[in-house]
Amino acid sequence: MPFKKFWNLAPDNSQSNVLNMYVYGTICSASSFFGSEDDVVSSQFVEDLNSYPGINTINVYINSPGGSVFAAASIINQLRKHPACVHTWCDGICASAAVGILLAANPGCRHMSRATLLMIHNPSTKAEGDQKTFLEAADLLDKVKQ
């Protein structure tokens, strides 16, 4: 399958220095052999964001079932360290790791309508291996939850 990013960055043609970001798809840290066409490499996001210098406002529109908590964390950190004012909107579903991206907005700049869904849950994973592998997976889930 061809690689396809889960986000799209585009300047807002109606307002100067405004960047619109659409997070539509599963959040992944890397495209894999068994992945879907929505998989994305989060480092590509950093490169894409840095290609728009001088932006004052970033509008993030989210319709995502979530995905990798670590890929979402890298995006959240990049949005928070960017000097622009970040607004986020839940356009449909904002679930799991996508909730973190919604929360990356500046205070008072998070938006949802009654027709959207926010879903938060305890972290989960898949593990395969021996007892040590499962104990390590459980420890990692505890850290992610904290």
Side-chain angles (χ1 to χ4, degrees), residues 5-46:
K5 296 185 285 189
F6 77 87
W7 77 87
N8 180 36
L9 294 176
D12 189 323
N13 293 330
S14 65
Q15 303 174 63
S16 63
N17 298 326
V18 175
L19 182 64
N20 291 326
M21 175 179 169
Y22 298 89
V23 179
Y24 278 44
T26 303
I27 301 164
C28 298
S29 60
S31 182
S32 69
F33 180 75
F34 296 105
S36 76
E37 63 182 30
D38 293 329
D39 286 359
V40 68
V41 178
S42 55
S43 60
Q44 182 64 51
F45 171 75
V46 175

Side-chain angles (χ1 to χ4, degrees), residues 37-60:
E37 63 182 30
D38 293 329
D39 286 359
V40 68
V41 178
S42 55
S43 60
Q44 182 64 51
F45 171 75
V46 175
E47 184 178 320
D48 287 356
L49 183 61
N50 290 336
S51 69
Y52 293 96
I55 294 298
N56 295 331
T57 302
I58 301 173
N59 295 315
V60 183

